[in-house]
């Protein structure tokens, strides 16, 4: 219990330090602006498509995007297009009939989560190692407790960042769409799923940050790791096909992106499977960094 209390204290100290240094505000603004810009651009494209459709059918100006295209989104041609984009039948069955705007937001947070996590958290451990701030902390707790507290504090900050991004995207959708007021719970739902996905990348970013005392180097290595881990499933698939080694694809389970498809499901079993795999992967990469840090001079 004392160990958990010390981890909790380190997590609170990380959050308090982020608030004092305005780092938390920058994190919130980055997520909000990114989500709002993505939503604005997507709705602009929808609006242009709707204008073309209205001109083609010689319909009066509806005044707000979404009036004409609601029926189009529920039509069979649109559903057929979505079916062609989704290769998994179970995923298609779960997302069928859902509002395209919430699916766009889900795609955005899943796509941008790895890079945003690395850019906003990848330097935290390295900066404290460089400044010597860690020495004041490990007098009161162990190195493992300090590292776990950092992880817990940053994970808590990501909760608020993703919740703020969902609200920002919803506000843009409400201002520009005629039927988007009921989408906020769905966007919070996708934000919670993206948080689970972000935990694995947080483990990667903080694990790498334990290897160096340079924050910029830790961020650069984190970006390289994101690119490598995201490209690994495709590389394994090509090598398995070219060299006739199907067993190579089994290593795909070591990448966070391999569990991302399960986060699109609605039933409990695949979501629980995804949550377990993502947390386990995050802890695995994080533990590698902690193991190296325990044998280094702080």
């Amino acid at each position: 219990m004392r160990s958990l209390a010390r981890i909790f204290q380190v997590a609170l100290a990380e959050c308090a330090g982020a608030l004092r240094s305005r780092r938390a505000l920058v994190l919130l603004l980055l997520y909000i602006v990114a989500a709002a810009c993505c939503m604005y651009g997507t709705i602009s494209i929808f609006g242009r498509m709707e204008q073309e459709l209205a001109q083609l059918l010689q319909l009066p100006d509806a005044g707000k995007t979404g009036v004409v295209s609601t029926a189009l989104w529920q039509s069979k041609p649109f559903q057929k297009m979505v079916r062609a984009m989704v290769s998994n039948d179970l995923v298609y069955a779960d997302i069928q009939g859902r509002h395209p705007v919430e699916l766009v937001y889900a795609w955005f947070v899943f796509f941008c989560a790895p890079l945003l996590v690395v850019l906003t958290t990848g330097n935290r451990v390295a900066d404290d190692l460089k400044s010597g701030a860690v020495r004041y902390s490990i007098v009161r707790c162990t190195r493992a407790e300090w590292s776990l507290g950092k992880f817990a504090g940053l994970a808590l900050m990501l909760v608020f960042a993703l919740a703020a991004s969902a609200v920002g995207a919803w506000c843009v959708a409400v201002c520009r769409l005629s039927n988007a007021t009921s989408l906020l719970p769905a966007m919070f739902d996708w934000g919670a799923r993206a948080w689970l996905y972000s935990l694995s990348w947080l483990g990667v970013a903080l694990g790498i940050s334990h290897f160096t005392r340079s924050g910029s180097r830790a961020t650069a290595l984190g970006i390289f790791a994101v690119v490598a881990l995201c490209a690994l499933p495709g590389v394994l698939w090509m090598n398995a096909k070219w060299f006739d080694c199907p067993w190579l694809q089994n290593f795909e389970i070591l990448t966070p992106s391999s569990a991302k498809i399960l986060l699109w499901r609605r039933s409990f079993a695949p979501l629980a499977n995804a949550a377990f795999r993502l947390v386990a992967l995050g802890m695995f990469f994080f533990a590698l960094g902690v193991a190296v840090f325990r044998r280094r001079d702080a």
Side-chain angles (χ1 to χ4, degrees), residues 192-206:
R193 295 163 188 259
W195 180 74
L196 288 174
Y197 187 50
S198 298
L199 289 181
S200 59
W201 294 108
L202 180 61
V204 172
L206 290 187

Side-chain angles (χ1 to χ4, degrees), residues 123 125-132 134-135 143 208-218 293 296-298:
N123 62 337
V125 171
D127 284 346
D128 281 1
L129 292 176
K130 183 179 180 179
S131 66
V134 62
R135 298 174 186 174
R143 296 189 179 202
I208 291 173
S209 194
H210 281 82
F211 283 82
T212 177
R213 294 178 182 271
S214 171
S216 58
R217 187 179 303 164
F293 174 56
R296 289 180 55 191
D297 181 15

Side-chain angles (χ1 to χ4, degrees), residues 217-244:
R217 187 179 303 164
T219 301
L221 290 174
I223 294 173
F224 176 79
V226 166
V227 174
L229 288 173
C230 289
L232 185 60
V235 173
L236 292 174
W237 180 83
M238 287 189 295
N239 281 276
K241 183 178 180 180
W242 290 346
F243 298 104
D244 195 21

Side-chain angles (χ1 to χ4, degrees), residues 13-252:
E14 176 66 21
C15 294
L19 290 173
R20 286 194 303 267
S21 64
R22 306 293 192 275
R23 203 164 22 89
L25 179 61
V26 172
L27 177 65
L28 288 175
L29 289 177
L30 179 61
Y31 273 74
I32 292 172
V33 170
C37 289
C38 173
M39 191 60 59
Y40 185 89
T42 301
I43 294 175
S44 296
I45 295 174
F46 283 161
R48 184 59 183 169
M49 292 171 58
E50 186 170 292
Q51 290 175 5
E52 295 292 337
L53 180 63
Q55 291 177 4
L56 179 63
L57 299 178
Q58 297 183 352
L59 297 174
D61 185 12
K64 207 171 186 182
T65 303
V67 176
V68 177
S69 55
T70 300
L72 176 65
W73 294 336
Q74 298 174 352
S75 65
K76 289 185 178 180
F78 180 81
Q79 296 295 334
K80 187 179 294 185
M81 182 179 66
V82 175
R83 179 67 184 86
M85 295 172 61
V86 179
S87 57
N88 190 299
D89 293 336
L90 295 175
V91 171
Y92 172 72
D94 284 341
I95 67 173
Q96 187 178 14
R98 302 187 72 85
H99 201 291
V101 169
E102 70 170 89
L103 297 181
V104 168
Y105 174 73
W107 174 86
F108 163 77
V109 289
F110 288 144
F111 180 79
C112 295
L115 189 58
L116 287 175
V117 168
V118 170
L119 289 176
T120 55
T121 66
N123 62 337
R124 289 304 306 131
V125 171
D127 284 346
D128 281 1
L129 292 176
K130 183 179 180 179
S131 66
V134 62
R135 298 174 186 174
Y136 299 97
S137 299
I138 60 177
V139 173
R140 302 177 181 85
C141 61
T142 66
R143 296 189 179 202
E145 290 169 351
W146 178 79
S147 297
L148 286 171
K150 284 283 186 181
F151 185 96
L154 292 169
L156 180 61
M157 290 169 58
L158 288 175
V159 171
F160 292 102
L162 285 166
S165 75
V167 173
W170 176 77
C171 289
V172 173
V174 168
C175 292
R176 303 206 60 199
L177 285 177
S178 62
N179 53 354
T181 54
S182 62
L183 293 180
L184 186 59
M187 290 187 173
F188 276 135
D189 179 32
W190 291 114
R193 295 163 188 259
W195 180 74
L196 288 174
Y197 187 50
S198 298
L199 289 181
S200 59
W201 294 108
L202 180 61
V204 172
L206 290 187
I208 291 173
S209 194
H210 281 82
F211 283 82
T212 177
R213 294 178 182 271
S214 171
S216 58
R217 187 179 303 164
T219 301
L221 290 174
I223 294 173
F224 176 79
V226 166
V227 174
L229 288 173
C230 289
L232 185 60
V235 173
L236 292 174
W237 180 83
M238 287 189 295
N239 281 276
K241 183 178 180 180
W242 290 346
F243 298 104
D244 195 21
C245 299
W247 55 270
L248 283 175
Q249 290 185 270
N250 294 332
F251 290 98
E252 182 184 359

